[in-house]
Amino acid sequence: MRHTVLKLFLVLALVSVSCRAFGQYDRDVFYYRGRQALADGKYAASIENFNILASLDTTDHLTYFFRGIAKYNLGDIRGARKDFNTTVRLNPVFTSGYHYRAITESQFGEYDKALEDYDTAIMLRPGYEGIYYSRGVTYFLAQQFDKALEDFDWYIRRQPKDPSAYLNRGACHLFLSDTTMALKDYDKAIELDRYEPEGYIRRGKLYAARGADSLALRDMDKAVELDTTNTLAYFNRALLLFEMHDFRRAMADLDKVLAYEPGNALTLYNRSLISAQLGDYESALSDMDRVININPRNVLAYFNRASFFIEMERWRDALEDYDMAIELYPDFAKAYQNRSYVESMLGMTRESRQDYETARRKVQEYRDANASAEGSFADTTRKYSSLLALDADFAKKDFDDELLQHRDIDIKLKPLYRFVLSREKGNASYALTRRYENALIDKFMDDLPVPVSVSDRDTTLYAAGYSQSSGALSSVGTLDEARTAFLKALDDVSSRRYSNAMEQYGQAVDAEKHDRYEKMYDAFYLMNRAVLRADMIDFIASMESNVQTLSMDDKGAARARVKDQVTRTYDYSEAIADMEESARIFGDSPYVHYDLGNLYCLSSRLVESIGSYTEAIRLYPAMGDAYYNRGLVQIYLKDKEKGCIDLSVAGELGVAEAYGVIKKYCVEEND
């Protein structure tokens, strides 16, 4: 229809109308590219195209719908829900808008809202099978297994060849304690798709629960055979082999998982326990140290590490770990009992007797409560050194903070902005790329005789392709002293002559200024000098293998006992002083405030860094890097909701790295 209208316009309309028709043609091109990228799994590219469409037309519900799908597939559930909200607001009878919004709501555990949206979608389109499938998943997540079963039954009657539906229905039967029907569904799923590992993994786990270890191992072996990179298959086979007392093969499977996912805390925890079983306490300690660094509030990690210390007769270390386990969970009777033993070994007779009595009292309270779930950690008969499965008791109520589901990764801030020598003068960027424009910055660059731009690239990357600029510097004789020194500094940086560059920046700052503009240009000289100072600190840090990164785990909780993880503190005060003076001279530059945010962050002034990023965003709302860095800092400060929203905006603005962080820290885990 759009193309028909376009052809009529091209034939009949005047020139001005033809221009508008050309705009329509552009929208069709971006729409096609966005849909094609979505189909090809190029989700970031799809978002870029739909961003342009959203800027051209804010009333097209499909633009936001497809962009929401792209965001969802990148793990940005918050951003997807925001787009689906817009979709149904623009088109209140669009079935898929309600359907997909319900899916995102269920990801956040907002099951009532999700079910309302499913009801609306079914009312609009009663015969659409996919809605019943999705609602079945939501009922399952809400632990309404009987209703989930009804939806999957309805779906399977109409789509009897979908193996995933049988897997889901089998899980419902399993939670309703009907293992016979669960096994029947898993058999059917495998019959329909013999090349999908998940069916074998699920059936293998069911066989293992029934004690049919040989059948379970056969299924796990088949899953690994079908996909040699499937970490879930290796993980579950390791649990099975451990129960079969084949510790060496279990260890090999966990090693395989960690080869693909080095920061998988659950696997590190289990490997630590197996190492201890084999008497290798140093390896066990190393793995458990990493688990605690990833999640400093992990009760069982401290409890089990204390037992390793006892075996090694490191009584003081064991005492500290039992102290921490009890601090995190004051009703942990077994921890009191074990701490009593450690205190007796240290000659702390009074403390030992007191802990022993506390343990006895809590055990009695546990028995009086008839082994209720709330008192389970008071049970001294339980074995807390067994391997944890993905759906372990450890994930029960009140222990969400201790879930072993996190990943141990360090995430770098997006780098500092600075003026750099460029290949071309001027900026031919397409208007829709949200290029920042500022009259003073543009005048400063336009008045220079060589191409200069503002960039966040590393200075070590500048050398390639800039040889032509060095020749151009010979013609700067007509410039004032400050700008001449500034250009020489840029040339020195591009050639990695950092000491010379620092001197030239100093000359630019100290040179006599004659008019208002020259005095304001000091802000740019100071900004670049501050960045160079920070870069030199980072260079020194990299030589010491101690690169400054924003660790998403609270390093303050790491034990001082780990002697091989020394972290130096670097002094960014001179760089900060330069950048603050730059902001005082020219406070309208988002780059200066962004850079200040980075420098404050690297100096552990995190609250101030958030303020600086916020100011940068106020001045330049499309500055994706500022949203990205602010999001990282907020997550680090445990304000995950705000941090994840910032990361979602950063991804929408083209910061591709945002989606990797979103997947690590912003995807809600559901049992």
Side-chain angles (χ1 to χ4, degrees), residues 252-308:
D253 275 351
L254 294 181
D255 289 344
K256 198 74 172 180
V257 174
L258 292 168
Y260 290 109
E261 299 180 24
N264 188 311
L266 183 59
T267 304
L268 287 165
Y269 178 93
N270 285 346
R271 188 173 72 173
S272 175
L273 296 182
I274 295 178
S275 294
Q277 288 269 2
L278 297 174
D280 184 359
Y281 294 108
E282 289 296 340
S283 295
L285 276 178
S286 177
D287 280 346
M288 203 63 79
D289 284 344
R290 289 186 62 194
V291 171
I292 290 171
N293 284 334
I294 293 168
N295 190 349
R297 295 182 57 79
N298 189 309
V299 178
L300 291 185
Y302 288 106
F303 180 85
N304 281 293
R305 190 170 69 173
S307 69
F308 304 160

Side-chain angles (χ1 to χ4, degrees), residues 423-440:
R423 290 186 177 85
E424 297 178 351
K425 196 168 180 66
N427 193 315
S429 298
Y430 191 61
L432 292 172
T433 59
R434 302 187 179 98
R435 173 182 174 268
Y436 176 71
E437 295 182 1
N438 179 280
L440 184 67

